Amino acid sequence: MQTAFFAVVLARTMILRPFWDMISWIDAFLACRQTGGFLAYLWAPHNEHHLVLIRLLTALDVSVFHASGIPFVVAATTAVVMTAIIVTGELHRGAELPSSLRVLVLLGPMLLLTTDAAVDCSIPINSNYPLTVLFIVAALVLFDGEPERTARTQARRAASLCAAMLAGLANAAGLVIWPVLLWSAWRGGARRPWLLTIGATGVVYCCVYVQDLPPVGADGLPLFFSADHVWKMADYLLMYLGLPLSRAPALGVPARILGAGLLVAASAAVCNDATLPRPAPRLHRISIGLIMAALAAAFLAAVGRADLQADVKVPVRYAVMLAPLHVGLLALALQYLATRATTPRRQGVLLGSAALVAAVLIVLQTGEGRSAIVASNGITATLDRYDAGFRDGAMQRLVFPNLATADRVRETLERLQMSAHKRDALK
């Protein structure tokens, strides 16, 4: 049912016309086509990110699919589905649940195949978040601990480093994987050469990544560390952790309570992990890595995004980045319960509790899905008016701040599409 609902919301919220960041991405690629320098185009910063994967998708989209947005939707949807499959497999293998409780593993993909994830897949400008999560999860899963060593371990660990690099090339928040991967490798009993390799690679990679990025944050350190600003960042952190409830202004208090609860639970899990012997079991190690990565991304968002608006407002598109924390806590809970649900009565209580959690998730997804469809319809209506020739403040807030640039990009795309049709007609 959850998968079907994900698919319905994906289809109903899909917007394949370029707007906002997509205008900037296409404009940069069109300029590259005129002047050359494809590698410079790929590495050019977008705000505080190097969106290499997004720029590759943009090049493919403009060159082959006439800026339809289809490559973005396919890539993001594939990323979400693959992440759900990977997580389900790890939960099934590592939770060691009795056969009567195996159904609890399905809570994992339910936390990933959400309406928020569907919207990140259906709107191309949000596709970098599912891609980032996929590569963070892949990096943690691919790095075998010493107890899991096989003939393929060295290759899997090398692939883990590649996945970590790709996470940063999808979004700067993906840089959090480097310290997390180092911790996870140490907890898995990896030997010193591999720990040094991860540490050195991560340091060099991050230094290269940030060297040409614009500064992020307040104008000066005194202002940045003022009591008001620290409080605002803390509030942003709680609202971030309270997603998706925090998307509704009326749910601000419950969202902050939820965020505080998750912060305490996640912090306790990480602190407890530091006291446990090495090497840690595979699923436990991966779970802690997911929690640490999501927490680190939340702290980065609080530092880098709290000043963007006067009020604390956290975009619901960030909810996908928070999903690894939910999955990590779920995995820890399943490992804990697997050793205690030893009687039919306890198993029945556990199954009933899980059914209640699943029902709550579905109810939340229903409300979120309706809101997402309404919002998508509003965006589509504005784009329809823009295509019909209307120009007003709503266009600047939604289509692009500089409407002259948006018009120029749209006109260029139309010319390219007409040229392509003429070439096809002559064949």
Side-chain angles (χ1 to χ4, degrees):
M1 181 176 179
Q2 177 92 358
T3 303
F5 197 59
F6 173 87
V8 169
V9 174
L10 173 65
R12 291 287 302 275
T13 60
M14 198 173 297
I15 299 176
L16 300 181
R17 283 176 286 181
F19 69 99
W20 205 249
D21 282 344
M22 196 70 188
I23 298 292
S24 296
W25 301 342
I26 294 173
D27 193 30
F29 178 66
L30 293 175
C32 169
R33 286 173 58 124
Q34 294 292 326
T35 62
F38 187 70
L39 292 180
Y41 153 77
L42 290 179
W43 191 247
H46 179 81
N47 299 328
E48 66 275 17
H49 309 277
H50 283 295
L51 302 179
V52 174
L53 299 184
I54 293 299
R55 292 187 182 277
L56 283 171
L57 287 172
T58 303
L60 175 65
D61 190 25
V62 174
S63 301
V64 180
F65 294 92
H66 309 300
S68 67
I70 291 174
F72 293 89
V73 174
V74 172
T77 305
T78 301
V80 170
V81 173
M82 286 183 64
T83 304
I85 291 173
I86 292 170
V87 164
T88 303
E90 292 298 327
L91 288 174
H92 188 269
R93 286 190 294 270
E96 298 182 353
L97 293 166
S99 58
S100 59
L101 296 179
R102 288 287 182 180
V103 68
L104 298 181
V105 168
L106 296 179
L107 290 174
M110 286 187 70
L111 295 172
L112 292 164
L113 296 171
T114 63
T115 56
D116 303 315
V119 174
D120 279 359
C121 295
S122 64
I123 299 179
I125 58 175
N126 295 339
S127 57
N128 53 335
Y129 303 110
L131 292 171
T132 305
V133 170
L134 169 63
F135 291 120
I136 286 175
V137 172
L140 293 170
V141 169
L142 285 169
F143 199 95
D144 287 343
E146 286 303 307
E148 307 130 40
R149 178 176 284 278
T150 67
R152 297 186 298 171
T153 290
Q154 298 293 88
R156 285 173 58 85
R157 289 180 173 182
S160 173
L161 295 182
C162 292
M165 294 179 187
L166 289 171
L169 298 182
N171 187 284
L175 297 179
V176 303
I177 188 57
W178 291 106
V180 173
L181 183 60
L182 181 61
W183 176 268
S184 185
W186 177 75
R187 292 290 291 126
R191 295 167 186 169
R192 185 173 298 176
W194 268 106
L195 298 179
L196 292 175
T197 298
I198 296 172
T201 304
V203 168
V204 171
Y205 182 88
C206 292
C207 288
V208 172
Y209 192 100
V210 303
Q211 66 176 348
D212 59 346
L213 295 180
V216 179
D219 294 334
L221 289 180
L223 177 60
F224 187 79
F225 288 108
S226 66
D228 289 342
H229 189 259
V230 171
W231 175 257
K232 188 176 182 181
M233 288 192 295
D235 192 29
Y236 193 99
L237 175 64
L238 295 183
M239 291 287 278
Y240 182 107
L241 294 173
L243 286 169
L245 293 184
S246 52
R247 75 171 294 169
L251 297 178
V253 173
R256 288 176 173 89
I257 294 173
L258 173 62
L262 288 175
L263 178 61
V264 170
S267 300
V270 173
C271 291
N272 179 65
D273 179 64
T275 67
L276 298 177
R278 293 193 305 144
R282 177 180 174 84
L283 182 58
H284 177 88
R285 188 180 74 248
I286 293 172
S287 303
I288 294 295
L290 294 175
I291 292 170
M292 293 176 69
L295 269 184
F299 276 97
L300 281 181
V303 171
R305 290 287 186 257
D307 291 325
L308 293 184
Q309 299 184 64
D311 299 327
V312 174
K313 294 181 180 179
V314 184
V316 74
R317 64 179 179 271
Y318 293 164
V320 172
M321 298 293 294
L322 188 60
L325 185 145
H326 301 153
V327 172
L329 290 175
L330 170 67
L332 293 179
L334 291 181
Q335 294 169 82
Y336 176 81
L337 294 170
T339 61
R340 285 160 177 80
T342 55
T343 66
R345 181 179 179 182
R346 289 182 178 179
Q347 291 179 4
V349 171
L350 182 55
L351 287 172
S353 301
L356 179 60
V357 171
V360 170
L361 287 174
I362 290 174
V363 170
L364 287 175
Q365 296 311 304
T366 301
E368 289 289 314
R370 290 174 179 172
S371 299
I373 291 171
V374 170
S376 176
N377 290 340
I379 294 172
T380 299
T382 301
L383 292 175
D384 287 342
R385 293 182 67 248
Y386 173 76
D387 290 340
F390 292 95
R391 299 293 183 270
D392 54 35
M395 312 298 173
Q396 291 180 303
R397 290 189 297 271
L398 177 67
V399 179
F400 200 68
N402 188 333
L403 292 180
T405 300
D407 292 341
R408 174 172 52 79
V409 168
R410 288 290 191 96
E411 291 169 1
T412 303
L413 291 175
E414 289 174 1
R415 288 198 301 270
L416 290 174
Q417 190 169 3
M418 290 178 61
S419 299
H421 288 328
K422 288 180 180 179
R423 288 195 300 270
D424 293 340
L426 293 174
K427 290 182 180 179

